[in-house]
Amino acid sequence: RSLAGVVGIAVLQPVRAGPDRCLVAVEYQYRDRKEGQQIELVRERGRWVVTRLGQTRFIKQPVRWGTPVEQID
C-alpha cells in the first residue's frame, strides 16, 4: 500500500487479544476521504511484529478535511 496522498495517520488505543497478541486500529486521513484498517501484532522474542493487515475500509467523515471552521454549520 502506498501512503501517497496521506495527510495524517491516527493510531487508536491497542486492544489486547492475549498476553502476546494485540489489535490496533489505524486511520489514514486523505484530503478527500478517510480509511481505516486493523493491524494485528504478535510479540516474538520480545519484539512486536505485524502479523496481519486487515481489509481497508472507508470511514464516513461529517466534514471534509481542511474545511475552514467558519464554513461548518
Side-chain angles (χ1 to χ4, degrees), residues 16-69:
R16 285 286 195 159
D20 293 317
R21 182 174 168 255
C22 73
L23 303 171
V24 179
V26 179
E27 294 179 355
Y28 303 94
Q29 178 69 57
Y30 297 84
R31 290 194 180 279
D32 62 343
R33 69 189 186 283
K34 185 170 19 174
E35 296 176 355
Q37 185 174 41
Q38 190 173 62
I39 298 174
E40 179 182 68
L41 300 157
V42 173
R43 187 172 16 213
E44 295 179 356
R45 293 181 292 234
R47 298 181 328 164
W48 289 97
V49 179
V50 174
T51 56
R52 187 179 66 80
L53 297 175
Q55 185 174 11
T56 302
R57 68 191 190 294
F58 175 78
I59 299 171
K60 185 175 180 175
Q61 303 182 98
V63 178
R64 184 181 169 123
W65 186 87
T67 301
V69 174

Side-chain angles (χ1 to χ4, degrees), residues 69-73:
V69 174
E70 57 273 357
Q71 292 181 4
I72 300 173
D73 292 329

